[in-house]
């Protein structure tokens, strides 16, 4: 007997390599085997496929049925191969036309009744199917997600019988083509809600303009969380590729992708009890962690010193490289993780150091210990440190105070500054390589002297100096893009001192 072959796709990171589902029938005692590194859920597919076939008055072949998922060395998980396996069995037993299967890929989990259920990770498969110039048959509930890949022929189906009728040419499935939803930023809170905090608002704008990481230090209730939540709303609109990448990561995550999140920059704020795996990804079937879910968006770590220090240390590498590689005995999986880090912390364990009320009773030792929970190398990677002190109460007496600027106005300036950077160097300032920083930020001899003094006074590392230069570059870009002026450099230096213990005298 011949072998029937049905094309499907597995998941590896955010890639979706092809899998050939080969079905072979032979005589002998009834058996149904699936080979080719299937995980438990895939092995259970036997029961679903058998029931789906039998409950629809199709014939499950007698004798021996062998399914091979090739290539055999690629781990396979989930119910996504059910549909392809069922079609393989039906094609090998002559119940559907095996030659009509070419040029099409099939993904979907089967219910015992033959109804198709949505599966995780359809978007990466859709991208790959498009690149291979194949049509993609998916469960109806996954259609909107797959249709985000423009130009792909997406054929949604609700039931195994619909797919059979399509393959046999009796009732071809209708192509689902939906226009791309407009990138959404609606619903993200507005900066107009934040009163006062001019210094922190400025730092947030700089962070947005240059893609810099930001640490906010201040007592509880001064608006740090408010500010962080408003960053996605002032970032430039996502490009199509960025939106697709972020959607692909959401698609393989536990929660899955929601079409209304298309083009919305993600904001992730994991709790400080989060484990390293939750933060950077992993597990026996590696899933993206918070840093990947924040890809092209914002990772907000509130109460930074409360995070386990070892958990924070694993952030260092992805902060530099923009990706995370998870090594498993069998293979390595890579997830993109180009996120902007926004962190918040109190100035001391009680949170009130420096208050006019003088109610802070923390000893110098306690303060030092609290701050030393964040390692120097991690702090070095945060370009902007800013104080967020208690606001003056008159700001909240609604009458006289002018209304704060809204997100739309800030976003326009940010977009203009970003455009200058992309035109000049192709990336935002925070992502510049060391050599490019020096080239893009030529300093006069007076400016060099200013920088040297700051290094001596604040005990700055070489990395910090480069970060100061990048911030100075962004400040200049916010004002039209000529070389950084003295005041830009001076301002950039102020963003390194908030946590410098020597400077605060703590
Ligand atoms: N600068 C501010 N402008 C307007 N409201 C503020 C401001 N700071 C604090 N609030 C109010 O206090 C609440 C707590 O602020 P939050 O951002 O959570 O403070 P933090 O994160 O610094 O502890 C906010 O929901 C808001 O109602
Ligand atoms: Mg907070």
């Amino acid at each position: 007997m011949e072998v029937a072959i049905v094309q499907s796709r597995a998941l590896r990171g955010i890639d979706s390599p092809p899998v050939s589902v080969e079905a072979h029938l032979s005589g002998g005692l009834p058996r149904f085997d699936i080979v080719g590194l299937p995980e438990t859920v895939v092995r259970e597919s036997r029961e679903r496929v058998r029931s789906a076939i039998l409950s629809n008055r199709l014939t499950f072949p007698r004798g021996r049925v062998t399914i091979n998922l090739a290539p055999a060395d690629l781990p396979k998980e989930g119910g996504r191969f059910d549909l392809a396996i069922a079609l393989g069995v039906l094609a090998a037993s002559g119940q559907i036309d095996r030659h009509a299967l070419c040029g099409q890929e099939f993904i979907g989990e089967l219910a015992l009744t033959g109804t198709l259920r949505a599966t995780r990770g359809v978007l990466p498969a859709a991208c790959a199917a498009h690149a291979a110039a194949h049509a993609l048959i998916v469960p109806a509930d996954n259609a909107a997600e797959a249709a985000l890949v423009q130009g792909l022929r997406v054929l949604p189906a609700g039931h195994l019988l619909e797919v059979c009728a399509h393959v046999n040419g009796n009732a071809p499935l209708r192509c689902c083509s939906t226009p791309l939803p407009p990138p959404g930023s609606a619903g993200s809170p507005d900066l107009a809600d934040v009163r006062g905090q001019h210094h922190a608002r400025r730092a947030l704008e700089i962070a947005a303009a240059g893609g810099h990481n930001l640490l906010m230090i201040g007592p509880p209730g001064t608006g740090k969380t408010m500010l962080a939540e408003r960053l996605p709303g002032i970032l430039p609109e996502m490009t199509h590729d960025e939106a697709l990448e972020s959607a692909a990561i959401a698609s393989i995550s536990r929660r899955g992708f929601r079409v209304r999140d298309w083009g919305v920059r993600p904001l992730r704020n994991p709790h400080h009890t989060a484990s390293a795996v939750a933060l950077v990804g992993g597990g026996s079937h590696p899933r993206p962690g918070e840093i990947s879910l924040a890809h092209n968006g914002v990772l907000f770590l509130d109460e930074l010193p409360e995070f386990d220090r070892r958990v924070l240390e694993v952030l260092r590498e992805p902060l530099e490289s923009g990706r995370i590689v998870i090594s498993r005995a069998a293979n390595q999986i890579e997830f993109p993780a180009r996120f902007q880090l926004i962190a918040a912390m109190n100035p001391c364990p009680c949170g009130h150091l420096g208050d006019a009320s003088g109610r802070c009773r923390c000893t110098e030792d306690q303060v030092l210990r609290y701050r030393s929970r964040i390692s120097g190398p991690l702090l070095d990677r945060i370009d902007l440190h800013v104080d967020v002190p208690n606001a003056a109460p008159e700001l909240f007496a609604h009458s006289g105070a002018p209304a704060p600027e809204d997100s739309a106005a800030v976003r326009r300036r940010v977009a203009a500054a970003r455009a200058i950077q992309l035109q000049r160097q192709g990336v935002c300032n925070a992502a510049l390589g060391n050599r490019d920083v020096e080239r893009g930020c030529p300093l006069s001899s007076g400016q060099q002297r200013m920088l040297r003094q700051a290094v001596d006074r604040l005990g700055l590392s070489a990395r910090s100096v480069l970060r100061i230069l990048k911030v100075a570059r962004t400040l200049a870009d916010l004002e039209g893009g000529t070389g950084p002026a003295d005041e830009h450099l001076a301002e950039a230096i102020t963003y390194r001192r908030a946590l410098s213990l020597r400077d605060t005298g703590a």
Side-chain angles (χ1 to χ4, degrees), residues 266-268 289-299 338-340:
L267 169 78
R268 304 292 305 187
E290 293 291 338
I291 62 170
S292 295
L293 294 168
H295 181 61
N296 291 323
V298 178
L299 179 71
R338 208 173 339 94
F339 58 93
Q340 217 172 324

Side-chain angles (χ1 to χ4, degrees), residues 192-197 218-230 300 302-303 344 346 388-389 391 395-396:
D193 306 334
V194 181
R195 310 228 143 230
Q197 303 302 5
T222 52
K224 301 184 293 298
T225 301
M226 274 184 103
L227 284 160
E229 284 168 348
R230 281 153 181 79
F300 175 44
D302 206 355
E303 314 278 359
N346 296 335
V388 189
L395 281 170
F396 294 90

Side-chain angles (χ1 to χ4, degrees), residues 167-431:
V167 173
N168 284 333
N170 300 334
L173 292 170
R174 295 259 300 280
C175 188
C176 153
S177 64
T178 40
L180 269 187
S185 66
S188 89
D190 201 288
L191 267 179
D193 306 334
V194 181
R195 310 228 143 230
Q197 303 302 5
H198 299 290
H199 202 52
R201 287 176 69 113
R202 166 95 173 146
L204 196 70
E205 178 172 338
I206 300 164
H212 303 285
N213 302 322
L214 169 67
L215 170 63
M216 294 180 284
I217 305 142
T222 52
K224 301 184 293 298
T225 301
M226 274 184 103
L227 284 160
E229 284 168 348
R230 281 153 181 79
L231 177 58
I234 60 170
L235 287 171
E237 212 167 83
M238 274 184 165
T239 64
H240 180 76
D241 287 351
E242 283 177 333
L244 209 52
E245 246 178 357
S246 294
I249 295 171
S251 166
I252 59 173
S253 73
R254 208 154 265 133
R255 190 168 101 186
F257 173 71
R258 298 175 306 185
V259 173
R260 72 183 127 108
D261 290 337
W262 169 258
V264 179
R265 290 198 185 266
L267 169 78
R268 304 292 305 187
N269 51 352
H271 192 252
H272 57 72
T273 51
S275 67
V277 168
L279 211 57
V280 300
S284 52
H285 304 301
R287 293 265 192 281
E290 293 291 338
I291 62 170
S292 295
L293 294 168
H295 181 61
N296 291 323
V298 178
L299 179 71
F300 175 44
L301 300 184
D302 206 355
E303 314 278 359
L304 188 66
E306 303 296 338
F307 280 80
D308 185 339
R309 188 169 168 151
R310 274 164 312 184
V311 171
L312 288 183
E313 291 309 289
V314 296
L315 289 181
R316 275 160 54 178
E317 209 251 286
L319 270 173
E320 301 267 307
S321 65
R323 65 200 186 97
I324 179 82
V325 178
I326 295 164
S327 295
R328 285 280 161 277
N331 53 1
Q332 286 196 328
I333 292 180
E334 183 181 318
F335 293 114
R338 208 173 339 94
F339 58 93
Q340 217 172 324
L341 175 65
I342 305 297
M345 64 182 281
N346 296 335
C348 67
C350 82
H352 297 288
L353 182 72
D355 254 12
S357 68
R359 62 180 139 153
C360 174
R361 292 277 172 274
C362 302
T363 65
E364 191 174 312
D365 233 27
Q366 284 171 323
V367 175
L368 272 175
R369 211 169 323 121
Y370 178 71
R371 294 186 180 186
S372 68
R373 289 194 210 157
I374 312 162
S375 74
L378 180 64
L379 275 183
D380 262 358
R381 286 168 170 82
I382 303 181
D383 304 354
L384 303 159
H385 303 171
V386 66
D387 282 316
V388 189
N390 278 320
E394 54 271 23
L395 281 170
F396 294 90
H398 28 263
S399 50
E405 212 176 12
D406 66 6
S407 291
V410 180
R411 193 179 187 185
R412 275 194 291 278
R413 289 196 296 272
V414 168
R418 271 288 172 109
I420 293 174
Q421 297 163 45
L422 292 183
Q423 199 185 15
R424 182 177 58 224
Q425 65 218 14
V427 292
C428 64
N429 288 335

